[in-house]
């Protein structure tokens, strides 16, 4: 495309100037051999130069010497050796001989000084005011186009210049002469060049600006738009004619220079930003900073110069623009070379454009310095053509990038459709296998891969296995998690791209050999969950485009790997939620208390099985029942408390209230009302209903008095033993000595804490030997062994329990002494005989106990421990049973109230012959 544009525009930049004409020598040129001047002639060579003002030593006006055109007088030496300054007034003269009679046109390109043009001593054109100093000089930058008639004699042309306000000092552009038709053609050609250049700047600037409007993150387009618009003043002022002055004739020199200089510097800076952001991967920090610094320094210096109001200083400062341009273009060229080597889009075209401008500048310099004669160089306006080609190269770059952006957008749209389909699969599919299969298929389609696989990490075996693999049918591949390329990818946690797997030492060739598949290239990416856990690897094999996988494929693959990780994680979470829900449902089903859930609107949303049993309703009728009306009508107390709890947010327990069931049966129940809290606010209420009617009361009493083992035995007999039975049992009374005296020195809280500490251990001593704790009587404990069910060795267990209590008292006393508290003693009495056991009380308050002569005897024996100074006293019947393993001493015969015969009593020594028997 750039070549086509070059060929189209080339005719407009072919220079029509006749390069066969001789050069001006010593202020004279003979054009007789070039008649009739059908092509413009450049009056190039050594003109006659005359210094006019100010006076320089002995150099007086009228003393002339040859000086090169194009060129400047600043720094040149006069015949007497005087060095000419930059500021001054001078005259260039040339005598043209050999002109045939007729009309001719003289074009003096824009001179950046005040000037007048005279032909044969007559002023024919004037630009500004030519004075002898800065105060009397006025500039007006435009070219001079004059017509004159020749009569066959020599024609003298004088160009008088005044340089006091600008650094330029001399004829830096060559005057041209020719027939009106030739010069008219030259005008048309130059304006065509101007038109092409300006139109290219405007169109490219607008194109880039529109691109930025629709893509606000495209900083390169904005920078290039500013660069193009910034070049317009430069081109308008320094072109074939000063278009800015044509549009604004009254524009002063200072504002015109400000517009020219600042727009040029900004344009150069934006060109740097454009190239820098166009190829971000090729950026170089320090070279860019140096380039940017050169532009910024020039801009700051120019601002300072304009603040002084001295246009001469501003023009001198602007001479450093060449250095900034050289630095910027060098950096841009390096970027372009690197980008071209890395095959970045548009880099080659951009590099060609800059190269053409560079070659054009070199050709102009070669001719200008006289290295190659101008007549040996093709007639071409090198700089203008190079600049236009640079602009056109950007047009190609922008078009190419826009095309690639469009193709990328289409590819992205295709990928997004794939992602949407995968997302739809994730949300619609329940089976995780189907979701993962869709993800693997989508990966192959988007990456244009021959096949893809999904490996899952088995932490128990430390292996990766193919959960989904295209081309393997029902077979599965298992590899160690630290072997192969997928293992390396899993271990490092980064994308892995391999162009030649067979040259990679980690590649497992046996997998290809086993499957008959040949891997040419591959890409693998780890599956990482939201909490950072690596759960597998997604792999794609063999790019169908013939090339290899790249970073863009990696980005596409990341999306699918994320979806796969989400799908697997969701499956895990769904499994955990299902297990949790099943567990919660099992807990609710196993609860003996009824559980009723009520939502925020007061609607009952669920009942467990126990609630259905307690409220006498079939599970199938739960949803059809109007619970709100039923609670309001039959249980208004509960409804009032529900409202109170809902308003206060505090739990409430109603003890032993009457609750009407669905069929109308009234039961006694404990009802707890608990608010259900969500993340931020109350979501509803929970009612826990405990049935405490006769059957439940009986079970509750059993739980308070018996161990689980004994209770299970009683329940196995349908609870008949709980309502009264005669049996042979051993009764144990244990009392803390001197408790009353001790309690007087303690606070109520300390008294309770002490009893709780002791009774906890005493209960364990009873329970360990199958006893039933009957009751706590102040500072005493009553326990029964053998009621309601005998174990056959109840007396032995009672004595073992008593000895265990004494051992525990030693441990308790050790703790108390460590806290600085006095030691305690325990007196224990044990009696064996016939008793009556059962639950006694009202339906709402029931206790399980035993009554009989043995109970009174055990209590009496416990009292006698104080009298006889021993810790454990047993009755004669108990002693007869435990004599074979316990150390007993008969201590007395007593007469118990209510008995006729005396009772022999024995003390039990702390040491047992067989403590574990």
């Amino acid at each position: 495309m750039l070549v086509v544009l070059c060929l189209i525009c080339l005719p407009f930049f072919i220079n029509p100037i006749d390069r066969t004409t001789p050069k001006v020598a010593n202020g004279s040129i003979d054009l007789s051999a070039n008649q009739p001047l059908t092509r413009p002639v450049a009056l190039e060579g050594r003109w006659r130069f005359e210094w006019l003002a100010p006076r320089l030593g002995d150099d007086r006006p009228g003393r002339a010497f040859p000086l090169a055109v194009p060129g400047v007088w600043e720094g040149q030496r006069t015949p007497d050796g005087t060095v000419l300054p930059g500021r001054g007034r001078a005259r260039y003269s040339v005598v043209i001989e050999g002109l045939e009679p007729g009309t001719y046109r003289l074009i003096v390109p824009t001179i950046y000084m005040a000037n007048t043009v005279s032909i044969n001593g007559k002023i024919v054109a004037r630009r500004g005011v030519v004075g002898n100093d800065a105060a009397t000089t006025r500039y007006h930058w435009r070219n001079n186009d004059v017509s004159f008639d020749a009569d066959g004699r020599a024609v003298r042309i004088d160009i008088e210049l005044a340089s006091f306000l600008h650094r330029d000092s001399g004829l830096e552009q060559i005057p041209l002469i020719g027939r009106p038709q030739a010069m008219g053609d030259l005008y048309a050609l130059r304006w065509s060049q101007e038109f092409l250049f300006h139109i290219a700047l405007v169109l490219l600037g607008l194109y880039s600006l529109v691109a930025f409007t629709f893509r606000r993150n495209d900083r390169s387009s904005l920078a290039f738009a500013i660069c193009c618009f910034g070049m317009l003043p430069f081109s308008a002022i320094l072109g074939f004619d000063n278009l800015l002055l044509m549009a604004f004739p009254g524009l002063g020199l200072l504002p015109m220079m400000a517009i020219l200089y600042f727009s040029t510097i900004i344009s150069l800076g934006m060109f740097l930003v454009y190239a820098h952001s166009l190829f971000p991967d090729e950026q170089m920090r320090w070279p860019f900073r140096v380039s940017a610094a050169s532009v910024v320094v020039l801009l700051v210096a120019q601002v300072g110069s304009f603040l002084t109001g001295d246009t001469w200083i501003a023009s001198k400062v602007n001479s450093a623009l060449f250095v900034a341009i050289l630095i910027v273009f060098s950096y841009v060229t390096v970027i372009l070379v690197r980008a071209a080597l890395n095959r970045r889009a548009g880099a080659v075209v951009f590099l060609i454009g800059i190269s053409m401008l560079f070659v054009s500048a070199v050709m102009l310099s070669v001719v200008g310095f006289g290295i190659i004669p101008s007549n040996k160089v093709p007639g071409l306006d090198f700089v203008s053509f190079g600049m236009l080609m640079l602009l056109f190269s950007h047009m190609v770059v922008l078009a190419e990038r826009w095309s690639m952006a469009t193709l990328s957008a289409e590819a992205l749209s295709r990928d997004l459709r794939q992602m949407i389909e995968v997302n739809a699969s994730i949300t619609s599919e329940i089976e995780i296998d189907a979701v993962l299969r869709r993800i693997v298929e989508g990966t192959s389609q988007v990456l244009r891969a021959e096949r893809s696989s999904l490996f899952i990490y088995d932490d128990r075996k430390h292996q990766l296995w193919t959960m989904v693999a295209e081309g393997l049918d029902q077979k599965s591949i298992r590899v160690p998690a630290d072997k192969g390329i997928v293992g390396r990818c899993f271990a490092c946690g980064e994308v892995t791209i391999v162009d030649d797997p067979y040259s990679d030492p980690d590649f497992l060739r046996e997998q290809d050999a086993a499957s008959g598949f040949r891997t040419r290239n591959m890409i693998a990416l780890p599956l990482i969950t939201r909490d950072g856990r690596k759960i597998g690897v997604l792999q794609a094999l063999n790019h169908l485009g013939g090339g290899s996988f790249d970073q863009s494929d990696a980005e596409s693959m990341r999306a699918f790997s994320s979806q796969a990780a989400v799908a697997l994680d969701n499956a895990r979470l769904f499994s955990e939620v299902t297990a949790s829900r099943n567990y919660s449902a099992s807990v609710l089903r196993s609860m003996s208390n009824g559980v009723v859930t009520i939502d925020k609107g007061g609607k009952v949303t669920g009942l467990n099985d126990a609630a259905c049993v307690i409220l006498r309703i079939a599970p199938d009728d739960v949803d059809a029942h109007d619970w709100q009306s039923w609670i309001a009508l039959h249980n208004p107390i509960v409804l009032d408390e529900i409202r109170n709890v809902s308003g206060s947010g505090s739990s409430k327990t109603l003890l032993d209230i009457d609750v009407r069931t669905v069929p109308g049966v009234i039961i006694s129940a404990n009802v707890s009302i608990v608010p259900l809290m969500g993340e931020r606010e109350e979501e509803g209420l929970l009612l826990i209903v405990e049935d405490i009617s006769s059957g439940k009361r009986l079970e509750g009493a059993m739980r308070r008095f018996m161990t689980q083992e004994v209770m299970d035995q009683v329940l196995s007999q349908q609870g008949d033993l709980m309502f009264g039975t005669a049996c042979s049992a051993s009764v144990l009374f244990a009392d803390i000595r001197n408790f009353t005296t001790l309690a007087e020195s303690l606070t109520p809280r300390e008294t309770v804490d002490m009893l709780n500490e002791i009774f906890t251990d005493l209960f364990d001593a009873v329970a360990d030997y199958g006893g039933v704790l009957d009751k706590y009587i102040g500072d005493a404990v009553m326990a029964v062994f053998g009621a309601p069910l005998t174990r056959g060795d109840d007396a032995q267990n009672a004595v073992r329990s008593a000895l265990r209590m004494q051992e525990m008292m030693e441990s308790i006393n050790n703790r108390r002494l460590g806290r600085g508290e006095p030691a305690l003693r325990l007196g224990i009495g044990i009696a064996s005989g016939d008793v009556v056991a059962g639950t006694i009380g009202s339906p709402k308050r029931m206790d399980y106990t035993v009554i009989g002569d043995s109970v009174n005897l055990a209590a009496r024996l416990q009292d006698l421990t104080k009298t006889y100074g021993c810790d454990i006293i047993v009755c004669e019947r108990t002693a007869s049973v435990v004599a074979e393993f316990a150390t007993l001493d008969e201590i007395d015969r007593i007469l118990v109230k209510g008995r006729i015969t005396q009772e022999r009593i024995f003390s039990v020594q702390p040491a047992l012959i067989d403590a574990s028997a």
Side-chain angles (χ1 to χ4, degrees):
M1 181 178 178
L2 185 61
V3 174
V4 173
L5 290 172
C6 178
L7 294 176
I8 292 174
C9 298
L10 186 61
F12 295 98
F13 291 90
I14 295 177
N15 200 328
I17 296 174
D18 188 356
R19 294 181 177 273
T20 63
T21 58
K23 289 188 177 183
V24 177
N26 295 320
S28 177
I29 184 172
D30 186 357
L31 296 179
S32 58
N34 299 92
Q35 292 298 316
L37 296 187
T38 56
R39 296 174 62 190
V41 173
L43 300 178
E44 179 182 5
R46 299 183 67 81
W47 287 41
R48 183 175 180 272
F49 178 81
E50 185 178 4
W51 183 258
L52 301 178
R55 292 290 300 273
L56 300 174
D58 293 336
D59 187 59
R60 296 176 295 278
R63 188 174 181 182
F65 58 91
L67 195 64
V69 174
V72 297
W73 72 60
E74 182 178 9
Q76 302 293 329
R77 292 184 179 273
T78 65
D80 60 3
T82 304
V83 178
L84 295 176
R87 299 188 183 190
R89 178 181 175 186
R91 180 186 299 119
Y92 285 85
S93 302
V94 64
V95 175
I96 305 174
E97 297 180 354
L99 290 179
E100 295 179 354
T103 302
Y104 294 87
R105 285 179 67 180
L106 173 69
I107 295 178
V108 180
T110 302
I111 300 172
Y112 305 109
M113 295 169 283
N115 63 87
T116 61
V117 178
S118 301
I119 296 180
N120 294 328
K122 180 181 180 181
I123 297 177
V124 294
R126 186 190 305 274
R127 294 299 183 197
V129 177
V130 178
N132 290 325
D133 53 31
T136 58
T137 302
R138 296 291 182 271
Y139 280 21
H140 191 78
W141 289 355
R142 289 196 59 189
N143 66 19
N144 290 289
D145 181 9
V146 297
S147 297
F148 66 92
D149 293 326
D151 55 6
R153 291 178 296 180
V155 176
R156 177 187 174 92
I157 299 175
D158 296 309
I159 302 177
E160 192 171 332
L161 309 173
S163 176
F164 294 100
L165 303 176
H166 194 269
R167 62 179 171 82
D168 286 347
S169 59
L171 287 177
E172 296 189 53
Q173 299 191 63
I174 306 171
L176 304 173
I177 190 173
R179 290 288 187 174
Q181 180 64 42
M183 303 306 284
D185 293 343
L186 176 65
Y187 251 87
L189 188 63
R190 290 286 189 256
W191 283 116
S192 297
Q193 294 176 3
E194 294 284 323
F195 177 78
L196 281 175
F197 195 72
H198 284 87
I199 286 298
L201 285 174
V202 172
L203 290 180
L204 283 174
L206 290 175
Y207 182 84
S208 301
L209 195 59
V210 170
F212 172 74
T213 301
F214 288 100
R215 296 179 59 192
R216 292 302 179 90
N217 61 337
D218 187 3
R219 294 182 299 174
S220 62
S221 293
L222 177 62
F224 189 61
I226 297 174
C227 177
C228 289
F229 293 132
M231 285 291 294
L232 285 173
F234 172 85
S235 175
I237 295 173
L238 302 183
F240 180 63
D241 201 351
N242 193 330
L243 297 179
L244 192 63
L245 276 182
M246 292 175 65
F248 304 99
L251 189 65
L253 177 63
L254 186 65
M256 182 171 61
M257 289 176 62
I259 294 172
L260 172 63
Y261 292 166
F262 287 120
S263 64
T264 304
I265 296 172
I266 292 173
S267 179
L268 179 63
M270 289 299 103
F271 181 75
L272 173 65
V273 173
Y274 167 62
H276 184 72
S277 58
L278 194 63
F279 303 104
D281 294 334
E282 281 69 34
Q283 295 175 2
M284 295 179 290
R285 179 178 299 178
W286 287 110
F288 172 75
R289 291 181 177 179
V290 171
S291 302
S294 66
V295 177
V296 172
V297 169
L298 179 61
L299 180 62
V300 172
Q302 201 61 272
V303 169
S305 67
F306 272 92
L307 289 177
T308 66
D310 191 331
T311 56
W312 175 272
I313 295 176
S315 65
K316 281 293 186 180
V317 170
N318 199 62
S319 61
L321 179 64
F322 174 76
V323 178
I325 292 174
L326 183 63
I327 294 174
V328 169
F329 271 68
S330 298
Y331 172 69
V332 171
T333 302
V334 172
I335 285 182
L336 293 178
V337 171
R338 295 180 64 183
L341 294 176
N342 294 330
R343 300 180 180 180
R344 307 297 184 195
V348 174
V349 177
F350 197 169
L351 184 60
I352 291 173
I354 279 201
S355 300
M356 293 181 71
L357 178 61
F358 178 75
V359 170
S360 300
V362 170
M363 290 297 296
L364 184 66
S365 301
V366 166
V367 174
F369 286 108
I371 299 175
I372 299 178
S374 59
N375 58 359
K376 300 296 183 180
V377 178
L380 185 67
D381 192 341
F382 291 107
V383 176
S384 298
F385 183 70
M387 288 292 291
L388 189 64
M389 289 303 102
L390 178 61
L391 285 176
F392 282 166
S393 71
H394 289 289
M395 181 180 293
V396 177
V397 169
L398 291 174
E400 181 180 358
R401 291 176 70 89
W402 188 264
S403 176
M404 293 188 64
T406 303
L407 294 176
S408 299
E410 293 175 352
L412 179 61
S413 177
R414 183 178 64 253
D415 295 346
L416 286 176
R417 285 197 298 270
Q418 292 286 345
M419 293 297 300
I420 292 172
E421 293 177 5
V422 171
N423 283 329
S425 300
I426 291 177
T427 55
S428 61
E429 288 283 357
I430 298 178
E431 294 293 333
I432 185 64
D433 290 344
V435 175
L436 296 179
R437 192 177 303 109
R438 185 69 187 90
I439 290 174
V440 170
E441 292 172 356
T443 301
S444 296
Q445 293 176 10
V446 171
L447 268 64
R448 300 182 65 198
E450 189 171 343
R451 61 175 58 174
S452 299
S453 306
L454 179 65
F455 289 81
I456 300 299
Y457 176 59
D458 185 347
D459 57 350
R460 292 174 299 177
K461 298 181 179 180
H462 192 56
Q463 289 181 338
L464 291 167
W465 63 279
T466 51
M467 188 172 187
V468 181
E470 293 179 315
L472 291 182
D473 299 328
Q474 301 300 320
K475 294 184 296 183
S476 176
I477 296 176
R478 280 187 174 269
V479 298
D482 55 355
K483 301 294 183 182
I485 294 177
V486 292
R488 185 174 71 196
C489 174
F490 181 78
C492 70
E494 298 291 338
V495 62
T496 301
I497 299 176
V498 180
D499 294 333
D500 185 11
Y502 280 85
S503 63
D504 193 305
D506 292 330
F507 182 64
L508 302 177
R509 302 188 180 189
E510 58 271 18
Q511 299 295 340
D512 273 12
S515 62
F517 181 80
R518 181 172 180 81
T519 304
R520 298 190 304 273
N521 45 62
M522 63 185 295
I523 181 173
L525 196 70
L527 304 179
I528 302 177
T529 62
R530 286 164 287 195
D531 56 359
R533 292 180 297 106
K534 291 182 290 187
I535 58 175
V537 176
L538 184 62
Q539 170 189 272
L541 306 177
N542 294 356
H543 198 286
L544 294 177
S548 300
F549 297 103
D550 54 23
Q551 289 300 321
S552 63
D553 296 318
E555 292 301 321
S556 300
M557 198 174 190
R558 286 184 203 278
F560 283 97
S561 67
S562 299
Q563 294 296 331
V566 168
L568 289 170
D569 208 26
N570 287 344
R572 177 184 61 84
L573 292 175
F574 180 76
S575 177
E576 291 177 356
V577 169
T578 302
S580 177
R581 183 183 62 187
N582 293 338
Y583 176 77
S584 299
S586 299
V587 170
L588 289 175
R589 283 196 301 269
S590 63
M591 290 180 64
S592 60
N593 292 338
V595 177
V596 182
T597 55
I598 301 175
D599 64 15
K600 193 174 181 180
K603 181 180 179 182
V604 174
T605 57
L607 293 85
N608 69 340
D609 295 344
C612 293
V613 173
I614 293 173
L615 298 177
R616 280 44 166 202
I617 184 171
D620 296 338
D621 298 334
V622 169
D623 293 334
H625 197 76
D626 185 0
W627 292 101
Q628 287 179 293
S629 300
W630 172 74
I631 295 176
L633 180 63
H634 298 291
N635 297 279
I637 296 177
V638 177
L639 181 61
D640 291 340
E641 295 299 337
I642 287 175
R643 291 171 179 168
N644 292 336
V645 171
S646 179
S648 65
S650 301
S651 302
K652 184 67 176 290
T653 299
L654 307 177
L655 298 175
D656 202 355
I657 66 170
D658 292 335
V659 174
R660 184 183 296 274
T661 65
V662 173
V665 178
I666 297 178
I667 62 172
S668 296
N670 295 330
V671 179
S672 297
I673 307 173
V674 181
L676 292 176
M677 300 304 296
E679 293 183 2
R680 298 182 179 177
E681 59 181 8
E682 181 181 313
E683 297 292 339
L685 297 172
L686 187 71
L687 269 65
I688 302 175
V689 183
E690 179 186 6
D691 185 2
I692 57 172
S693 51
S694 59
K696 292 293 182 179
R697 293 180 190 276
L698 173 61
E699 186 175 336
M702 293 168 60
R703 292 182 186 277
R704 288 196 298 273
F705 304 129
M706 304 176 185
T707 62
Q708 185 65 41
E709 179 183 3
V710 176
M711 189 182 71
D712 290 342
Q713 294 176 6
V714 173
L715 289 177
S716 66
Q717 299 188 30
Q718 303 300 320
D720 293 341
L721 298 177
M722 296 296 293
F723 293 102
T725 181
C727 59
S728 179
S730 295
V731 181
L732 179 150
F733 274 84
D735 179 73
I736 301 173
R737 303 281 179 83
N738 300 320
F739 175 75
T740 303
T741 302
L742 181 62
E744 289 177 354
S745 63
L746 301 176
T747 65
R749 178 59 182 268
E750 290 172 339
T751 302
V752 172
D753 289 342
M754 179 185 69
L755 290 176
N756 287 339
E757 179 183 13
I758 297 172
F759 287 164
T760 298
D761 288 354
L762 297 186
F763 175 81
D764 291 339
V766 173
D768 288 346
Y769 292 97
V772 175
L773 184 64
D774 187 288
K775 61 176 65 67
Y776 297 108
I777 310 169
D779 61 332
V781 172
M782 174 183 170
V784 181
F785 295 84
L789 294 174
T790 182
R791 297 179 61 173
D793 55 353
D794 301 313
Q796 293 94 325
N797 286 334
V799 173
R800 293 190 182 101
S801 178
L803 291 169
R804 175 65 63 82
M805 290 180 182
Q806 294 297 341
E807 293 176 0
M808 289 179 170
M809 286 305 297
E810 291 182 8
S811 298
I812 293 172
N813 285 331
N814 289 335
R815 294 198 299 268
R816 289 179 60 80
L817 291 174
R819 297 193 297 263
E821 298 170 350
L824 301 175
R825 291 190 64 190
L826 194 67
I828 302 173
I830 301 173
S832 300
D834 294 332
V835 296
V836 175
T839 53
I840 300 173
S842 71
K844 291 190 176 182
R845 181 69 175 87
M846 304 178 70
D847 282 328
Y848 179 83
T849 189
V850 294
I851 56 176
D853 183 60
S854 297
V855 177
N856 298 330
L857 178 58
R860 175 65 176 151
L861 294 178
Q862 182 273 129
D863 284 337
L864 291 176
T865 59
K866 303 172 186 178
T867 303
Y868 294 103
C870 54
D871 293 331
I872 303 172
I873 298 178
V874 300
C875 68
E876 182 177 357
R877 184 171 177 178
T878 301
S880 64
V881 176
V882 302
E884 60 185 22
F885 71 85
T887 302
L888 303 173
D889 290 330
E890 184 176 350
I891 57 176
D892 203 352
R893 289 174 178 265
I894 63 171
L895 183 63
V896 181
K897 184 179 180 180
R899 283 192 175 190
I900 300 175
T901 60
Q902 291 185 334
E903 179 76 24
R904 297 169 63 194
I905 60 175
F906 299 81
S907 68
V908 179
Q909 301 303 317
L912 285 175
I913 295 175
D914 185 3
S916 62

